Amino acid sequence: MLQFSNSEIQIIKARASAAMIKTLRNNNDVVLNHDTLVPQTGIATWNLYYFCPEHGVRLTWDREKPKSHCCPIDGKEFTGEPYDGAWWRWLNGLNAKASFDLGLLWQLTGDELYLDKVRAILLEYAKYYPDYEEHGGIPYNGPGKANAQTLCEANCHLDFARGYDFVKDQLSKEQQQYIEDRLLREGAEFLMKHRTDQLHNHEMKINATIGVIGLILDEQSYIDFALNTQYGIHYQLDHGCTSEGMWYEGSIHYHYYALQALLNFEKMACNTPYSVSNNPNFLKMLKFPLSLVLNNGEFPRLNDCINGQQKLTHAHLFEFAQRQYPCDLFAKALASIYQNISRDNMDALLYGVDELPNAQPLACQSIHTKEAGVTLAFDENNNNALLYKHAPYGGEHDHYDRLGIILTRQGKEILPDLGTTGYGAELHYGYYKNTATHNTLTVNQQNQSPINPVLKYYQKSDSVTLIDAEVDWNQQPAQVDSHTIVQWDAQSYQQIKYRRVLIWLEDMLLELNTVENPHQQQLDLTYHIRGTHKHTEHSSNISNPLQGPLARMTQTRISELCQSHQLIYGIEEQVDYSQHIWSNEPSKVLQGYAPDNPAIKDLAYSLLRSSSQQFNAVVLHDLSQQQSHSFQSVIWDANVSCCLNLSEGRTLNLTYDFNSGALTLI
């Protein structure tokens, strides 16, 4: 066995509690308690089709109902494709997972029930795998055989290979040869054929699986392909990371997905010449996202992040990381993970140290990253936080929301990033992934074409943080070394220049927005608030005039044409939250409600609308408990000068020089 030495297994057996073993068995009951079922043809499609199209939540999978799939929200039944094929993909995943988990249980208990099930699964897949027909059609993805995309093929083969490693010595030579030739080698050769020449988390997983199979089979050509070829593991690490350690796709979920692949390989290779830990970006990748935890204890749902993936639950990464590369940061990550759950899990058993050091959970902190393009400003006194996304375009899993913001008050997201849902659900491409459903500028309700922002000025003191960034669609479009599908409207954004200056003060955010709009396109400065609209007496009901993602907006109202607006929102379990808006020309505000994530409740939307050739807007976000901040005056000429009324009769005079980035506060 390659994964653990005999002495390591003995130590693991001694540490394994009855509760751990019971949990591991229970997690695989659906495979253990049924006859071994393996598809005889390549019938499985994509697990991300297995979502309710209305609510964006995963359907309830039932081993007894391969042709009936129900929404857990309202019980609605879905039949036929794409749900039937996704049901089989789920079964393939359970079988693959059981190969590893039950193989481990065999090592821990010696119970031949587990050995027999792993052997049966592997032999059945080896029987059919060479004859599965290639099929696919999943956006951005190569084909599969057992499944419909190359990534899913890699995921299953990784667990098949690791499960085989656990039971190999108990199989006959004929069975070993049969599984190695017809399943593992067939799988590795297929993955090598279909690994794509691109930077991508998928290619990390594909490389890792090829490498693991190479280690288990002692096949040097597989190991070399996985590690050292162009677009192999080292190439991905060298070219796919910023200097701070952020994975180029800009999604923290996919950052960790790429790391998960790396560590699946490293857990086998760590004591061999093939360890990847000597790559300088390896540890950077492990550490960097931990600095982006918000004051709600979760990661921001930047870009593609299905609801739930924003939670810090990565014991499978940090138990191993703390053992191999102990540091205070990893100890804090584990302290965060185990705040509300027991450490009684398999990752701690297999890879963890006997006793974790005392550490406090991770806390929100201010951070500014020039290359990764994320600035997080945290007001510890009031427990408020601001995140500003001025990140370069990240390809497939990016969202079209340059210069977007997230705002929290007292640890609650009030201007959230929604992330997304399962990619096979209509809400993914139809709603969540679009510019119009983010807190940024939308033109003609179309998606921003890929562009890399320019950070113009950044300054931070004890009392104020300023971030000034610009996107200029006169510049060359952003390019990534990754395949993309055009899902934007370059024509709408032609010659648009958008500059957004954020000034983060004690209990308020002031933003200065300026848009050059030479073709007088429809501009919508968009905000969605996790709350309800209040103070609507200066607006009237209208039919929703929007097309595209926000065509689904309900209870739409339009304000009077005004140069200033006050928008008030009711926030659950908090005092009201308000926005004070000033624009250089009279404008209207369109308001309504559209889905939150999950789509079982709604958010309040406000769109500040203008088609001016030069559109300037100042927005004051009042985060105070008194809700007493407001504009006294705004003067926008070469500079911006604002006089703000604060609580207790105080005033604040603020001037910002766009040319020098000089901020004056009196």
Side-chain angles (χ1 to χ4, degrees), residues 337-350:
I337 292 168
Y338 296 128
Q339 283 183 100
N340 301 308
I341 61 171
S342 166
R343 196 181 171 221
D344 194 22
N345 63 70
M346 285 300 131
D347 297 295
L349 173 66
L350 298 179

Side-chain angles (χ1 to χ4, degrees), residues 593-611:
Y593 292 91
D596 200 338
N597 189 9
I600 56 177
K601 56 183 179 180
D602 285 341
L603 297 154
Y605 272 80
S606 293
L607 284 64
L608 180 64
R609 315 205 79 189
S610 175
S611 57

Side-chain angles (χ1 to χ4, degrees), residues 233-234 237 262 265-266 269-272 274-284 286 320 324-325:
I233 286 175
H234 283 294
L237 277 171
L262 274 174
F265 178 81
E266 185 63 17
C270 59
N271 296 318
T272 76
Y274 307 113
S275 170
V276 297
S277 61
N278 60 344
N279 190 298
N281 283 337
F282 179 76
L283 276 177
K284 285 183 181 180
L286 272 166
F320 179 80
Q324 295 295 111
Y325 330 103

Side-chain angles (χ1 to χ4, degrees), residues 304 399 420-434:
D304 279 352
H399 288 189
T420 192
T421 185
Y423 306 155
E426 186 277 333
L427 283 164
H428 171 60
Y429 290 117
Y431 182 70
Y432 293 117
K433 198 175 176 70
N434 298 276

Side-chain angles (χ1 to χ4, degrees), residues 344-361:
D344 194 22
N345 63 70
M346 285 300 131
D347 297 295
L349 173 66
L350 298 179
Y351 305 111
V353 296
D354 289 338
E355 186 174 347
L356 293 175
N358 289 327
Q360 293 298 312

Side-chain angles (χ1 to χ4, degrees), residues 70-102:
C70 291
C71 173
I73 303 300
D74 59 7
K76 182 177 179 179
E77 182 186 41
F78 298 90
T79 59
E81 295 296 346
Y83 310 106
D84 290 355
W87 185 96
W88 284 97
R89 169 61 186 96
W90 191 297
L91 179 69
N92 280 340
L94 290 176
N95 283 336
K97 177 179 178 293
S99 299
F100 175 79
D101 287 355
L102 301 182

Side-chain angles (χ1 to χ4, degrees), residues 451-657:
I451 193 76
N452 289 337
V454 173
L455 178 69
K456 301 185 78 67
Y457 300 105
Y458 170 76
Q459 55 183 279
K460 184 180 185 304
S461 69
D462 291 340
S463 59
V464 63
T465 300
L466 180 143
I467 320 109
D468 180 348
E470 181 180 79
V471 283
D472 182 356
W473 279 276
N474 294 290
Q475 303 303 312
Q476 289 296 311
Q479 300 290 327
V480 291
D481 188 8
S482 183
H483 300 327
T484 58
I485 298 172
V486 175
Q487 295 172 318
W488 53 81
D489 182 357
Q491 186 67 31
S492 285
Y493 288 85
Q494 186 178 20
Q495 296 184 295
I496 295 283
K497 183 187 288 188
Y498 175 37
R499 186 169 176 180
R500 191 176 211 176
V501 182
L502 300 184
I503 302 169
W504 178 247
L505 297 161
E506 182 178 357
D507 56 2
M508 73 182 90
L509 168 66
L510 190 72
E511 56 172 299
L512 315 177
N513 299 276
T514 179
V515 187
E516 294 180 16
N517 183 25
H519 304 295
Q520 294 188 276
Q521 309 281 24
Q522 176 64 67
L523 307 176
D524 288 315
L525 186 57
T526 304
Y527 301 94
H528 56 224
I529 296 87
R530 197 160 272 148
T532 56
H533 292 295
K534 300 178 72 173
H535 188 67
T536 58
E537 60 264 29
H538 299 299
S539 63
S540 55
N541 295 322
I542 60 167
S543 298
N544 185 355
L546 302 176
Q547 297 181 343
L550 292 184
R552 67 192 77 211
M553 197 160 71
T554 61
Q555 302 179 53
T556 47
R557 300 178 67 89
I558 193 77
S559 74
E560 298 173 357
L561 194 64
C562 296
Q563 193 171 6
S564 62
H565 301 269
Q566 181 183 13
L567 308 180
I568 301 176
Y569 308 91
I571 306 296
E572 187 176 357
E573 299 180 349
Q574 291 191 2
V575 300
D576 291 348
Y577 152 70
S578 59
Q579 297 168 326
H580 300 266
I581 299 172
W582 174 95
S583 56
N584 61 320
E585 295 184 3
S587 57
K588 293 185 178 183
V589 175
L590 178 68
Q591 295 184 308
Y593 292 91
D596 200 338
N597 189 9
I600 56 177
K601 56 183 179 180
D602 285 341
L603 297 154
Y605 272 80
S606 293
L607 284 64
L608 180 64
R609 315 205 79 189
S610 175
S611 57
S612 299
Q613 286 187 320
Q614 182 65 47
F615 177 54
N616 301 330
V618 184
V619 182
L620 170 61
H621 302 263
D622 187 352
L623 303 176
S624 70
Q625 294 301 296
Q626 299 80 16
Q627 288 294 286
S628 55
H629 304 327
S630 62
F631 294 129
Q632 187 178 107
S633 64
V634 176
I635 301 172
W636 190 313
D637 42 35
N639 302 324
V640 176
S641 297
C642 299
C643 182
L644 306 179
N645 295 319
L646 307 180
S647 60
E648 299 174 353
R650 296 175 298 148
T651 60
L652 174 66
N653 290 287
L654 177 150
T655 301
Y656 185 67
D657 187 328

